Structure formats: C-alpha cells, structure tokens
Amino acid sequence: MLVQQQEMQLSAYSDLYNLIVPKENLLRKINELIDFSFIYDELANKYCSNNGRNAESPIRMFKYLLLKTIYTISDVDVVERSRFDMSFKYFLGMSPEQDVINASSLTKFRKLRLKDADLLNLLIGKTVSIAIEKGIVRSKSIIVDATHTLSRSNPFSAIEVLKERSKLLRKAIYTVDENLKGQLPVKNVDDNLQSEIAYCKELENVIESDPTLSLIPTVKEKLNLLKETVEDTQDNFILSKDMEAKTGHKSADSSFFGYKTHIAMTEERIITAATITSGEKGDGPELPKLLRVSQQNGMEVDTIVGDTAYSGKENLKLASAQNIKIIARLNPSITQGIRKDEDKFDYNKDADRFVCPAGHMAIRKARQGKKNSEENQVDTYYFDVQKCRTCPLRDGCYKPGAKTKTYSVSIKSDLHQEQISFQETDYYKEKSKHRYKIEAKNSELKNVHGYRRASSYGIENMQMQGAIAIFTVNLKRILKLER
C-alpha cells in the first residue's frame, strides 16, 4: 500500500546534515535542483492504495537507483553505503538514525514498479525542461550520434565470466597483502563450469571467514560482484541468455554484441532525446524520432549535426520540409562514386556520352528509375559489343559472351546537389566543429556511469539503465553550467 509522499522523519539528529554535508556536495545540489515528486506522480498507479503493508516511497527507491548510477556500485553496496554515508542518507530523505532497505527490494522495484513506465522520455524531458527554464539551453542545434553498449552476456561464456570475476577479486586481495596468495584456494584450471563454480564458492568462504579482509571496501565490492555472478550462473546455467541483444558493427572488421543508444544533444551538452535499439539497427532511421522528441521536450531546432549515417535522402527530405539544416556529409558513393580510378570512364560533354579507356564512345544512353522516388535515377550508357569483344583492354571490363556492355552513373537528386553545395559553406564548416562534443558525452556515459556494459538482460532493462544514466549526466551538466 502506498501512503502519501513521505517526508524526512523529524529527528533530534537532523541538524547533523548541516555540519556533515557541505553546500557544494553533489547530492545536496541535486536535491536543491530538482523536485522528485514527478516520480511519485508517475508511479503511484503501480501501487495499491488501500491494501497491504506500507510500501517504501517510490521517490526514495528511485534515488537509490540514481545513487547506484552516479557512483557505479552494486545494489548491495549502494544500500550498505547508505547505512553510514550521511550524504546518501540526506539525499534519500532519511533521518540519520533511520535504517536502510534490504538490497533485494531494488530488484523488485525495477521489475514491478518501473516496468512499462516510459522512464527514458520522462527523465530526459524533465531535465531538458529544467535546462530551458534556467536559460542554459540557448542554441537551436542538436548533435546526433549512437553509442554501443555490450550485452551483459557478451562476449564470454559463463565459465569465462566467472574466471574473470574471481581474477579481479584475487587482484584486490593481493593489493592489500601479497602474502595472502598462499592462503587462497588453488585456482581451477579446467573448463568444467561446475568446477569453476565450486572454486568460486570456496574462494568466497575463505575471504568471508576473515572479517578484517572481507570488510575492506575494494575487496568487498569484488566479492559481492562474484557472488552475484555465481548466483546468476546457477540460475541460468549460462550467462549468454540475452535474447534481444544483436550483433552490430563499429567498422567493417569490428563487431559487438549488445545494444545501441541513439542520442540527440544540444551544443551545451544537454541530452534532449534518446532511443535504444538492438545492436544491428542503423543510425540514420532513428533521426526522425530524435528530432520529434527533442521538439516535444521544448527544443527549437534549426540545425542537426551528425555523421554520414544521418545524410540519407529521407532525412534530407524531413529536414528540408521543416527548414532545418543538416550538417552531415553525404556518403562518398554519392558525391564521388565508388569506382576505382582505373575503372572510371571519361565523360565527353559535347557528345553527352562516356568514353571507355580504349577510346570507344557509348552508342546510346537510357535513363532508368522514377523521379521523386527513394532511389536516385540512373543514366545507363551502352557500348558497341562487337568492339568490346576484340578490344585489347577487354579483360576485367567485358565479360566473354555478354550481349551488352553498359556503364551506369547515378544522377544526384536536387536534395543531394543542394547538400553538396551546402557542405562548402562557412556555416557548415563552423557547425561541424561541434560534433566532437557528443563523442565526449558518450565517453562520460561509458567510463563514468557504467554504460559500457548492460547491467541486466533485455531491451526493457537497457532502456531503464539508459534513462537513469542520461538523467544523471544531464543533472551534472546543469549543475556545472549554473555556476
């Protein structure tokens, strides 16, 4: 049962917060910046109003998850730290002597209360509205890009993950006392999963039997991580059980297994919209939604900055219809063609025909394709096959027995011609200098807030992780620009 919004309990010790939590503390600043009552309003219908025992405040539960993202720690550690860290207790709206929740409650909150909630758009929309209200967002440009997040199960088998986690735990122990090497269990060397699980459990027992060692923060964090992994492996037997993650490509010879987060961000580095897809999805098709959500969140957009993936014909049409400029280079195959220099034919402008390397001119020309369609029209030039059959340069140019020899050239649409000209303007060159900012934001999400790897399975959980991570970086950015 959910009661009215919970306030901090009156306590004789509450004045301690004024002494211990300084004004410049990040968590105090976040509390002063934003009213979290919108979380209560959003989630109130997920609780029963007149039956069952009193539930923990959804605002406090959400703040636990926010702390977990800000400091990149596990459920167990965020609850444990909230027991003694006064800045955590202040942020959570607890009195100094108030007890904390059980860590398992966070799992239930994610599964039962946050399920089906459009948390991604809700949290981004809230921070964007704050930024606009405070006059932080002044530009009318959005920078777009996609960043990948590895699936929790990628790329290792269950036994490889266990070996990696136990290795990290051993390293943490050796940094405390190198002499403890001889007291630890003998490492498992075979590839039997059950043997590795048994070894990990034995390692856990040895460490937990030494209270002094197990309470050292660096050791404790790695120990909790190993225990969670062992439990998960026993439940699923294998960790590679993310059915919604897909293989995507960062380059022609580099791939990943996981998800993509497509982001739109202002020049002031406030994220205005995001969508999350499986890894194989393209970047360009997500632009219309990023633009629409950014506009719904209060952004006035006159320029979109991105890479080549966003300069597709449909995106150019969309931008043109709204009088928006796209700062994204066209695919080189459109502007320059994809043929090698030695395969190119020369164009004779007087005859309006192409001439092959052997000096033979095309005998006729035909245009293929429809106007105003998604695909560009193509001019196809036909050559005299009789000459091709006896040509000394026919190898690699003419296929023996072929009835025709053609050379085709794609016709650039008016949109493409305009974009090619626009790429040479000073405005284009100046705006393109801002694209690096989104790469820095992607790096912050991954390296500071644990966005390099998914924390759970499935795209719904990935959206939840993305929502809180983006909410965190937006709040931090607003606080920085407010100074």
Side-chain angles (χ1 to χ4, degrees):
M1 182 172 70
L2 184 63
V3 297
Q4 292 298 315
Q5 295 189 38
Q6 300 176 8
E7 299 292 337
M8 185 183 294
Q9 296 180 5
L10 293 176
S11 168
Y13 306 105
S14 294
D15 286 342
L16 286 172
Y17 289 134
N18 295 327
L19 298 173
I20 298 173
V21 186
K23 290 183 178 179
E24 61 271 16
N25 179 269
L26 173 63
L27 300 181
R28 182 184 281 274
K29 286 183 175 181
I30 292 176
N31 254 358
E32 294 171 353
L33 173 68
I34 186 168
D35 178 5
F36 284 92
S37 61
F38 73 98
I39 296 293
Y40 181 95
D41 298 335
E42 180 71 17
L43 301 180
N45 63 346
K46 300 292 182 72
Y47 294 82
C48 180
S49 60
N50 56 13
N51 191 26
R53 65 178 182 175
N54 289 344
E56 191 72 39
S57 165
I59 295 177
R60 184 172 296 158
M61 297 298 287
F62 174 78
K63 284 184 173 181
Y64 271 113
L65 296 182
L66 189 56
L67 287 170
K68 177 179 162 70
T69 300
I70 293 173
Y71 296 99
T72 321
I73 50 182
S74 67
D75 289 359
V76 171
D77 289 320
V78 75
V79 172
E80 181 61 27
R81 186 166 169 182
S82 300
R83 192 183 304 278
F84 61 82
D85 191 318
M86 296 296 278
S87 64
F88 275 37
K89 283 201 167 187
Y90 172 80
F91 182 67
L92 293 167
M94 300 167 63
S95 60
E97 72 274 21
Q98 191 173 346
D99 200 8
V100 295
I101 62 170
N102 187 291
S104 63
S105 298
L106 291 176
T107 300
K108 292 182 179 179
F109 179 70
R110 281 190 291 260
K111 289 183 177 179
L112 300 178
R113 312 306 180 193
L114 296 184
K115 185 179 180 181
D116 301 326
D118 190 8
L119 205 61
L120 187 63
N121 289 327
L122 174 71
L123 297 182
I124 293 176
K126 185 66 177 179
T127 51
V128 173
S129 66
I130 292 173
I132 293 175
E133 182 183 327
K134 291 183 174 293
I136 290 173
V137 175
R138 300 184 183 90
S139 67
K140 296 183 179 179
S141 302
I142 57 172
I143 310 167
V144 291
D145 195 18
T147 187
H148 69 277
T149 301
L150 299 177
S151 167
R152 183 180 179 183
S153 60
N154 177 68
F156 308 111
S157 65
I159 190 169
E160 289 173 321
V161 174
L162 287 172
K163 285 185 175 182
E164 179 64 21
R165 298 281 161 85
S166 62
K167 177 182 176 182
L168 292 175
L169 177 56
R170 290 193 302 272
K171 281 187 174 180
I173 294 170
Y174 298 155
T175 57
V176 175
D177 188 351
E178 188 77 21
N179 296 323
L180 291 173
K181 280 187 178 182
Q183 301 178 28
L184 298 181
V186 178
K187 287 188 291 185
N188 174 50
V189 294
D190 61 38
D191 292 327
N192 183 279
L193 181 59
Q194 295 303 332
S195 299
E196 185 64 29
I197 291 174
Y199 164 73
C200 291
K201 286 185 173 182
E202 187 180 358
L203 181 62
E204 292 170 13
N205 292 334
V206 169
I207 296 169
E208 289 177 334
S209 65
D210 185 347
T212 305
L213 181 62
S214 62
L215 290 177
I216 296 173
T218 54
V219 175
K220 188 175 181 180
E221 286 182 12
K222 300 297 186 294
L223 176 62
N224 288 334
L225 190 60
L226 179 61
K227 290 171 73 174
E228 285 183 5
T229 307
V230 170
E231 290 172 6
D232 195 10
T233 305
Q234 288 177 309
D235 290 341
N236 299 297
F237 198 69
I238 57 170
L239 286 178
S240 304
K241 204 172 182 179
D242 197 340
M243 302 302 293
E244 294 179 299
K246 303 294 180 185
T247 299
H249 294 272
K250 294 180 285 184
S251 64
D253 55 0
S254 177
S255 63
F256 68 95
F257 181 73
Y259 301 93
K260 270 187 178 180
T261 302
H262 308 265
I263 294 173
M265 185 187 78
T266 68
E267 290 180 7
E268 295 81 11
R269 308 193 191 197
I270 300 294
I271 295 175
T272 59
T275 63
I276 294 176
T277 65
S278 49
E280 88 286 5
K281 299 295 184 183
D283 299 353
E286 297 300 314
L287 179 60
K289 185 173 182 180
L290 293 174
L291 175 60
R292 184 178 70 253
V293 173
S294 295
Q295 292 169 332
Q296 289 172 351
N297 286 336
M299 275 294 296
E300 186 179 342
V301 181
D302 65 8
T303 306
I304 298 171
V305 183
D307 57 25
T308 305
Y310 298 95
S311 62
K313 198 169 184 180
E314 289 305 307
N315 287 339
L316 292 176
K317 283 182 181 178
L318 173 69
S320 178
Q322 299 186 40
N323 198 27
I324 295 173
K325 300 293 186 183
I326 289 190
I327 310 296
R329 288 204 167 272
L330 292 173
N331 191 301
S333 65
I334 295 175
T335 56
Q336 304 168 13
I338 57 176
R339 292 186 176 93
K340 297 178 182 178
D341 288 341
E342 58 267 27
D343 294 333
K344 290 181 179 178
F345 287 17
D346 294 324
Y347 178 70
N348 186 310
K349 64 180 180 64
D350 298 319
D352 188 26
R353 294 286 189 274
F354 273 90
V355 179
C356 76
H360 303 303
M361 184 178 289
I363 55 177
R364 68 183 180 93
K365 178 178 79 170
R367 180 159 295 181
Q368 299 173 345
K370 296 180 180 180
K371 285 186 177 181
N372 301 319
S373 65
E374 291 187 8
E375 299 293 332
N376 288 343
Q377 290 181 291
V378 174
D379 275 347
T380 301
Y381 295 83
Y382 293 82
F383 289 81
D384 187 341
V385 179
Q386 298 300 327
K387 293 180 179 178
C388 293
R389 288 171 180 167
T390 58
C391 178
L393 303 180
R394 62 183 180 274
D395 291 344
C397 179
Y398 172 73
K399 184 177 180 181
K403 296 182 178 180
T404 60
K405 168 58 187 174
T406 61
Y407 185 85
S408 298
V409 179
S410 178
I411 302 172
K412 299 177 181 68
S413 67
D414 291 342
L415 280 172
H416 287 150
Q417 294 285 10
E418 291 172 8
Q419 186 69 11
I420 291 171
S421 300
F422 178 54
Q423 288 177 183
E424 302 303 318
T425 63
D426 292 338
Y427 181 81
Y428 179 98
K429 294 174 182 177
E430 181 61 32
K431 284 291 183 180
S432 63
K433 295 177 182 178
H434 293 278
R435 211 188 83 77
Y436 78 93
K437 294 177 179 178
I438 201 163
E439 299 289 354
K441 184 64 66 175
N442 291 339
S443 176
E444 180 186 359
L445 285 167
K446 288 183 175 182
N447 296 325
V448 181
H449 299 293
Y451 211 60
R452 188 175 299 278
R453 185 176 293 277
S455 60
S456 190
Y457 299 113
I459 199 164
E460 188 174 271
N461 289 319
M462 188 67 232
Q463 288 171 338
M464 194 183 305
Q465 181 181 348
I468 299 177
I470 292 171
F471 184 66
T472 299
V473 296
N474 271 1
L475 288 178
K476 288 170 63 179
R477 186 63 181 169
I478 292 169
L479 289 172
K480 183 173 183 178
L481 295 178
E482 258 197 323
R483 294 175 183 172

